Amino acid sequence: WEEAAEMLISAGNVQDTLFATFAGLRWTILEGIISMKATRFSKKMSTSLKWRRRACKAVKRVRGWAKKKNPNIEHSLHLLEAELASLKGKKKKAISHYRHAIDTAEKNCFLQDQALSNELASLYFARIGDKTRMSIHRENAIRCYSEWGATAKV
């Protein structure tokens, strides 16, 4: 996650360039996830707050797109909401959003996002000490990544 955060910083503001494109959508979703992870790993409070603001801005942007009923981002919004709830220590909300992210990605045939949602859910359950659910989600992530052809990931 640290390398991904460095890439975000070096890329600068790409929103204007990618506005209203699929790449812009994916960028914003990944920016939100990476920013939330960077919030956790930042050693300085000021840096952590900077990452948190960036994450919240990305989530707000995706919420706005979701209000327009774009079915292609529903699962991504759930994943961002799960990560945000995790960051805030809201266990029930995080678990619910991880479940919705996984189910919606599967229903809408976004195998790579189903894999990512399972991977992040696995990390979440590991962090809260739930080894059973961690293992289930890790196995599901590996299965999805394998089906998708992401051999380097598995």
Side-chain angles (χ1 to χ4, degrees):
W1 293 110
E2 289 176 19
E3 186 178 339
E6 288 174 20
M7 292 170 86
L8 272 181
I9 292 168
S10 67
N13 183 2
V14 299
Q15 289 301 324
D16 293 338
T17 308
L18 299 176
F19 181 74
T21 65
F22 178 74
L25 170 70
R26 292 301 291 181
W27 173 271
T28 303
I29 292 163
L30 294 173
E31 176 184 28
I33 292 169
I34 293 165
S35 296
M36 283 185 247
K37 296 299 183 185
T39 299
R40 276 193 201 286
F41 296 114
S42 296
K43 292 175 179 41
K44 292 172 52 179
M45 181 64 84
S46 61
T47 305
S48 180
L49 288 172
K50 179 186 84 168
W51 282 114
R52 188 183 201 111
R53 280 192 299 273
R54 188 169 182 167
C56 289
K57 190 175 176 181
V59 172
K60 184 178 178 181
R61 199 174 301 125
V62 175
R63 282 178 184 150
W65 293 331
K67 283 183 183 178
K68 295 177 182 172
K69 303 294 183 197
N70 182 339
N72 296 326
I73 62 169
E74 181 182 359
H75 63 283
S76 297
L77 179 57
H78 280 297
L79 183 55
L80 287 169
E81 296 287 7
E83 288 289 301
L84 191 58
S86 167
L87 198 59
K88 293 178 176 182
K90 296 182 177 183
K91 184 178 176 181
K92 286 183 181 179
K93 191 172 183 179
I95 292 169
S96 174
H97 279 294
Y98 281 122
R99 173 60 26 221
H100 287 303
I102 293 164
D103 291 346
T104 314
E106 181 180 20
K107 182 181 97 183
N108 293 322
C109 301
F110 286 98
L111 189 57
Q112 72 278 21
D113 293 335
Q114 184 183 350
L116 178 61
S117 297
N118 271 294
E119 179 184 0
L120 295 178
S122 175
L123 294 172
Y124 173 72
F125 286 117
R127 196 166 42 256
I128 65 169
D130 188 333
K131 292 180 181 180
T132 302
R133 287 198 267 190
M134 178 210 66
S135 294
I136 291 168
H137 286 287
R138 184 181 60 218
E139 289 171 18
N140 286 336
I142 290 168
R143 178 186 49 77
C144 291
Y145 281 128
S146 294
E147 285 178 31
W148 186 49
T151 55
K153 189 71 178 169
V154 295

